Amino acid sequence: MVGGGQLARMTAAAAVGLGATFLVLAESPTESAALVARNVTIGSHLSLPDISSFAADCDVITFDHEHVPGAVLAALESAGVLVRPGSAALRYTQDKLAMRERLSALGVPCPRFAPVSSVADVERFAGGSWPVVLKAVSGGYDGKGVWVCESAGEAEEVIAHGVALLAEEFVPFRRELAALVARSPSRQGAAYPVVQSVQVDGVCREVIAPAPGLHPDVAVEAEAMALRIAAELGVTGLLAVELFETRAGTLLVNELAMRPHNSGHWTIEGARTSQFEQHLRAVLDLPLGSCAPTAPPGAFTVMANLLGGTDPDVFDRYIHVMAADPAVKVHFYGKEVRVGRKIGHVTITGGLGDDVDALRDRARRAASYLRWGTEDGD
């Protein structure tokens, strides 16, 4: 796996049970996965020599992020390296304009969009209706590279950054959903239950699986849409499709990710096959595992991201959380604590009759205590 972040760290754990030898290309020995994986190579995901040398010891390479340059991926494939997902698919996670154009050509519902390079372009796109969403065509994540502009003046400030931009209509959505699917080279597909994600300042703070109150027909539509996108784009491995559920009950595709995804962390405890094991099964062309929830029908699993606070000594508060709610599962990523940084997550899997709001509150209180030392924090 190219990339040594928390996704690689959790994938390394899944590889143990599969009996797969898992190698990591990390940028430093202190990266999240490098702290726990046995076979670690230090190198840059931007360097073709580094990745080529790393790939020489691998049967297949995959990724925990989308930032390997397309030219590097193409050169690896030309040299006979098995890259999953391949460069042709990954292009649509690296280039938001290409993604929008391809999905629109397939008839997949997306927000209205247009490439823009000037304030005049943005004003024409807005047509007098603000706000307008501006997105960096490449490189954005966790709310970075996304600007909600209320006026031409705010758009001018974004244009001044000098990055390639895409304008999208502002969607007054009811909530955000995510459909996570897997696809193997043998064209087997599998879909997890559609989840609801809660974003704060562009960062995922909470995931509820399955999405409460989602009509079964809409859930099937979302799963089928994600599987179709995976097939049309030639994805091998996981595909996360982030969706807007509009106030009218329709679905619009917001973003794509071709790797394990924050919206799937709940699967470690909450599904028969975790997303990390599933990704490995897919890229190794093994039969895919069951995506069925471990909770009984009608029950929920809630995941809350743990963000860094002002006190770096998170482990001092670990005992309180474990004692206060033994059902809470805590995952730390081995990262240095910085305010607002994702340093772990907590998960609670409920039983039949457990109220979803009560589960959400328990997860929130656990994450708050680990972050701030009080259950009443944000």
Side-chain angles (χ1 to χ4, degrees):
M1 182 167 270
V2 175
Q6 66 261 28
L7 300 181
R9 181 186 180 102
M10 290 182 274
T11 306
V16 173
L18 290 176
T21 301
F22 188 75
L23 291 78
V24 174
L25 180 67
E27 290 195 330
S28 82
T30 59
E31 276 200 281
S32 183
L35 296 173
V36 299
R38 178 182 178 187
N39 301 295
V40 178
T41 298
I42 305 303
S44 172
H45 64 273
L46 302 174
S47 165
L48 177 58
D50 284 358
I51 300 182
S52 295
S53 176
F54 172 73
D57 294 324
C58 304
D59 295 306
V60 57
I61 65 170
T62 189
F63 313 92
D64 91 334
H65 57 67
E66 293 94 0
H67 306 309
V68 179
V72 171
L73 295 171
L76 291 170
E77 290 170 327
S78 295
V81 176
L82 193 55
V83 177
R84 291 175 173 167
S87 60
L90 282 167
R91 176 188 176 214
Y92 298 109
T93 66
Q94 298 175 327
D95 184 326
K96 289 182 172 61
L97 179 59
M99 180 265 287
R100 283 282 182 253
E101 291 174 340
R102 179 74 171 119
L103 294 185
S104 296
L106 292 171
V108 174
C110 298
R112 185 173 64 89
F113 71 96
V116 292
S117 58
S118 68
V119 176
D121 289 342
V122 180
E123 288 182 307
R124 276 192 295 272
F125 179 83
S129 179
W130 299 85
V132 166
V133 179
L134 295 183
K135 291 184 176 180
V137 169
S138 62
Y141 68 97
D142 277 353
K144 298 178 178 66
V146 178
W147 300 269
V148 179
C149 299
E150 299 283 351
S151 66
E154 291 185 9
E156 186 173 15
E157 293 178 9
V158 177
I159 296 284
H161 294 321
V163 299
L165 293 170
L166 175 73
E168 291 186 355
E169 66 174 312
F170 180 83
V171 178
F173 55 86
R174 176 176 170 237
R175 59 178 171 175
E176 294 185 75
L177 305 172
L180 183 66
V181 300
R183 182 173 179 271
S184 74
S186 298
R187 297 191 296 178
Q188 183 185 9
Y192 288 95
V194 177
V195 302
Q196 177 181 344
S197 64
V198 178
Q199 315 286 323
V200 178
D201 296 327
V203 178
C204 178
R205 295 293 291 272
E206 181 184 48
V207 172
I208 310 153
L214 186 64
H215 193 283
D217 291 346
V218 179
V220 169
E221 177 189 352
E223 292 171 11
M225 182 189 300
L227 287 168
R228 180 184 172 223
I229 293 171
E232 294 282 3
L233 301 188
V235 176
T236 297
L238 287 178
L239 172 69
V241 181
E242 297 180 56
L243 300 158
F244 294 134
E245 182 185 20
T246 70
R247 292 170 184 170
T250 57
L251 299 176
L252 296 175
V253 172
N254 182 27
E255 300 285 355
L256 303 179
M258 297 176 190
R259 50 169 171 75
H261 191 254
N262 202 170
S263 67
H265 290 355
W266 68 274
T267 61
I268 297 175
E269 287 85 23
R272 299 295 177 190
T273 309
S274 79
Q275 66 163 343
F276 304 100
E277 179 183 336
Q278 195 78 290
H279 186 69
L280 288 174
R281 284 181 179 231
V283 300
L284 294 170
D285 204 12
L286 299 171
L288 299 181
S290 169
C291 295
T294 55
F300 297 89
T301 295
V302 176
M303 186 282 299
N305 276 321
L306 171 58
L307 305 183
T310 52
D311 180 2
D313 200 358
V314 176
F315 287 96
D316 256 7
R317 299 183 287 280
Y318 196 13
I319 293 175
H320 169 88
V321 169
M322 296 175 73
D325 195 340
V328 172
K329 298 295 185 181
V330 182
H331 297 263
F332 286 116
Y333 302 155
K335 290 184 170 183
E336 179 184 353
V337 176
R338 295 200 297 263
V339 175
R341 186 187 199 188
K342 288 181 187 174
I343 59 171
H345 70 267
V346 300
T347 307
I348 300 176
T349 298
L352 193 60
D354 282 343
D355 180 71
V356 65
D357 289 331
L359 290 174
R360 294 176 68 181
D361 185 62
R362 288 165 62 191
R364 183 200 61 79
R365 285 190 285 116
S368 173
Y369 197 87
L370 287 167
R371 186 181 189 188
W372 302 116
T374 171
E375 294 184 353
D376 298 323
D378 183 13

